[in-house]
Structure formats: structure tokens, C-alpha cells
Amino acid sequence: MSQSFEPGLHDRAVSVVAFGGGHGLHASLSALRLLVDELVVDELTAVVTVADNGGSSGRLRGEFGVLPPGDLRMALAALCGRNEWGVTWSRVLQHRFAGDGEMNGHVIGNLLIVGLWELLGDHVDALDYVGRLLGATGRVLPMATVPMDIAADVRGLVPDDPDALLSVRGQVEVATTDGVIDSVVLVPPDPPAAPQALEAVAAADWVVLGPGSWFTSVIPHLLVPQLRQALVDTDARVVVVLNLSAEAGETPGFGPADHFAVLLQHAPDLQVHTVLVDTGAADEPDQLEELRHVVDAHGARLLVADVAEAPGTPRHDAVKLAAAYARILGGEAP
């Protein structure tokens, strides 16, 4: 690894719980896994959204009535080691079948997870078994123990009344809407949180929310009543990692301050310690100043750091993100 994260900055290794789903959580976990290697983090847990209704996950959810496994699979792949065993199993887990038959589009890792769910009858036990097979650094948990849908109130879908709100239901449908999302809810509204996720939050030193699809991967965690209460009650310090850019469908036209404000709109009692934003925000001084104002008003601190793969890209770089996390966890001033 080309960069040292100076574990000497830290009095002790810490426990971290990372929330999200999809590619955003994969990036965050890839970064945090590097800090486990550097002895900055000693316990790493991922808590993953389970509302996907598209692709291989949606097909398996519809056929077997299980949690959608795709985001859980991606989190496990991110925690694989960097040795030959870990890299190989990560590739196997992520392999998607081609061809023209019924298996087209299915992912090996999804099938493996669902198969273990059927055999063991327990979501968490099965994920732990997959983690041991992969040599994963950390644990992956679902945010809730039943499948659910995301529903959004959306503006701009009624041509004669652009302010009218229409309800759009389903993760794929919400993520690709042509309107502007006003708010999101879960269906059912009070799914039971995974007990192990609640325990992990209670025991954590730090909690990380984001990056990821804001309305369908990040905010849903705050809509599970038990989980939101655990996040409000925990002594852990909460870090919010903002996306690198607005996302078509979910957050068109959003700046950094909009992302943070809408998160607080869905959980106004959440106490945030640090907000992390990429240096690209500094290219828009007005947006950065607006974000700083919102963060200060909430009593949080703002860290501006280079965490993008390249200027203008929507993807986080794992090594750069790990360096930013090390600064935050070590208590370094922004």
C-alpha cells in the first residue's frame, strides 16, 4: 500500500459501523478495511439496506420471498482480503452469468446467500458463514429482517400541476423517477431491525452514513424506527459522507448542503459529529459556504478532503477515503 495512515495518531483501535448499500457502501467498506489492516480499526460492521427490487436481487426476492441479497453481497465482496484467496472469492461472488437462458443476469454471490438462507433459516448466520468462507475483514448485517419497499412522494410528474405530489413505490422506480423526490418512507413503516445491528450500533465508537444513493441506500436506515432510535441513543460519533455529485433520478440539482439537509429532514434528532465532503466542493465557493453554514448550525464539524478517484468522477477512491477516515477517527482537526 502506497500510503500510511499513521495509527500512532490514535490512542487505540476503534469500532466502526458503516451504513449504506450498493456501490457507495462498497467504497466506504473498501476504505475502512484498509484501516483494519493498519490497526486503526479493530472491529468493522456493515449494516446494509434491504429494499432492492430490481435485477437478480429482485428476481430472487420475488421467487423466494427473501431479503434482496445484492447489496449484502457487494458489502461482503468489499471486505474480502487482498491476498489471492480474498481477491479470487471477491471475483467469484461478483460474477454475473451471461447467456440467453433463465440464469442470465443472476450473480453467483446472490445465489450462494439465498441458498444458505434456505439451509440455515437465519439471515445473519448465513451471512456470517459467507464471510468466513471469503476471509472477510468484518461483519455484514441486514438493516431489517423482512423485505420492504421504498415509497417516495415525488413532484413534477403531473404536467398541469408541477407541485402535485405523487407516490412512487419501489427502489428501482424511486431511483429512476423523472420527478423531484420530496420525501421517502418504508413499506411497511416499522420493519423489525436486525437485533445484531442494534447491538453493533450500541457498542460502536464511530458510525458512518454514506456515501451512496441518497434516498434509496442511505436515508432508509433512518426510517427503521428501532434503528433510528439506536443511532440517536448511541454514544458513537456519527460521520456523514456526502456524495461527489448529484445523482440523476434521486438528487438532480442537489448540492452538498441539500444532501445534508434532506438527511436531517428525515432524522432531525440525529446528532452528527463530522461531515466529509470532497475538495471538488471547493470549486463552487457558494456551495461550500452554504454547506458550512448548515453544518455549523447543526453543531457538527466539516472536513474537506480529496476523496475522489479523479476530478469530476462520481466514484470515491478507497485509499484517499481511508486517509480521510483516519484523520476523522484520530481526532485530527479539519
Side-chain angles (χ1 to χ4, degrees):
M1 185 164 51
S2 61
Q3 183 167 355
S4 170
F5 301 115
E6 301 182 45
L9 288 171
H10 305 258
D11 295 331
R12 63 179 178 85
V14 296
S15 170
V16 180
V17 180
F19 288 82
H23 295 284
L25 181 59
H26 186 280
S28 188
L29 292 175
S30 297
L32 289 165
R33 190 201 67 222
L34 297 177
L35 298 187
V36 175
D37 295 344
E38 294 287 328
L39 306 181
V40 174
V41 174
D42 70 345
E43 189 170 347
L44 177 57
T45 304
V47 179
V48 184
T49 14
V50 283
D52 192 6
N53 66 334
S56 172
S57 283
R59 291 161 61 189
L60 291 168
R61 170 182 172 173
E63 183 169 349
F64 296 102
V66 296
L67 298 178
D71 285 357
L72 296 160
R73 178 202 82 240
M74 289 189 68
L76 285 162
L79 295 178
C80 285
R82 290 171 296 151
N83 55 18
E84 181 182 2
W85 179 272
V87 170
T88 299
W89 273 107
S90 177
R91 292 177 61 197
V92 170
L93 206 67
Q94 299 281 58
H95 179 72
R96 189 178 299 272
F97 289 106
D100 299 319
E102 293 183 1
M103 292 297 295
N104 174 265
H106 272 308
V107 185
I108 288 179
N110 290 353
L111 301 173
L112 174 63
I113 291 169
V114 173
L116 278 167
W117 282 342
E118 285 203 335
L119 284 172
L120 301 179
D122 185 279
H123 292 107
V124 173
D125 282 352
L127 292 169
D128 286 343
Y129 267 95
V130 178
R132 288 199 292 273
L133 172 66
L134 305 176
T137 302
R139 194 181 194 193
V140 173
L141 302 170
M143 73 174 185
T145 55
V146 297
M148 68 198 71
D149 279 332
I150 296 171
D153 283 336
V154 181
R155 299 182 190 276
L157 298 179
V158 181
D160 296 334
D161 188 358
D163 290 327
L165 291 174
L166 286 184
S167 180
V168 175
R169 178 167 171 169
Q171 185 269 334
V172 172
E173 292 76 11
V174 171
T176 58
T177 181
D178 292 328
V180 177
I181 298 172
D182 183 76
S183 62
V184 290
V185 296
L186 295 180
V187 182
D190 55 351
Q196 297 87 344
L198 300 178
E199 293 165 5
V201 172
D205 296 303
W206 292 86
V207 166
V208 178
L209 281 165
S213 296
W214 216 240
F215 283 106
T216 56
S217 290
V218 179
I219 289 176
H221 294 284
L222 303 173
L223 304 179
V224 179
Q226 291 174 305
L227 198 52
R228 179 173 60 199
Q229 194 61 48
L231 287 166
V232 169
D233 292 342
T234 184
D235 292 330
R237 294 176 172 181
V238 177
V239 179
V240 173
V241 184
L242 298 179
N243 289 343
L244 297 169
S245 62
E247 188 173 5
E250 289 206 22
T251 54
F254 272 42
D258 299 311
H259 281 85
F260 187 51
V262 78
L263 183 108
L264 296 179
Q265 172 191 328
H266 286 82
D269 46 357
L270 179 70
Q271 294 301 307
V272 177
H273 179 274
T274 301
V275 176
L276 173 61
V277 67
D278 181 60
T279 50
D283 296 334
E284 300 287 344
D286 290 344
Q287 287 194 5
L288 184 59
E289 185 58 31
E290 182 184 5
L291 174 63
R292 195 177 301 279
H293 175 75
V294 175
V295 171
D296 288 347
H298 188 69
R301 68 176 197 165
L302 179 66
L303 176 61
V304 182
D306 177 15
V307 291
E309 283 187 359
T313 178
R315 294 181 298 275
H316 287 80
D317 179 90
V319 174
K320 292 178 181 178
L321 189 55
Y325 282 154
R327 291 176 60 187
I328 294 169
L329 304 186
E332 183 180 335

